[in-house]
Amino acid sequence: MKRPVMDHSVGGELLSAAVMVSNARLLFLGLEARGAIIHRPLKREPWHSQGQGNFIVADPDGNLIEFGGRTD
């Protein structure tokens, strides 16, 4: 039986993994174009360094994976 890696019964926003990449914007655009389930679109938070951002996708089993990196 396929189940998410994380037990989401304690909250739906738990990340299963966080991955730093060299260019988050390019990865986001590529995944979006291929129909990935975007849980939270690419954005920059006030606490991010200049030119940095992140986004979250859901894998086919419902696990949330955050990607972060350069956005310029």
Side-chain angles (χ1 to χ4, degrees), residues 12-47:
E13 298 291 317
L14 295 174
L15 295 174
S16 296
V19 181
M20 296 303 297
V21 297
S22 59
N23 194 312
R25 183 180 62 82
L26 290 179
L27 179 59
F28 173 77
L29 293 173
L31 290 173
E32 184 178 48
R34 288 169 180 79
I37 301 168
I38 306 296
H39 182 76
R40 191 185 76 214
L42 180 65
K43 66 183 209 176
R44 293 183 55 199
E45 301 286 1
W47 55 84

Side-chain angles (χ1 to χ4, degrees), residues 6 15-19 64-67:
M6 301 294 292
L15 295 174
S16 296
V19 181
L64 299 180
I65 305 167
E66 177 184 43
F67 293 92

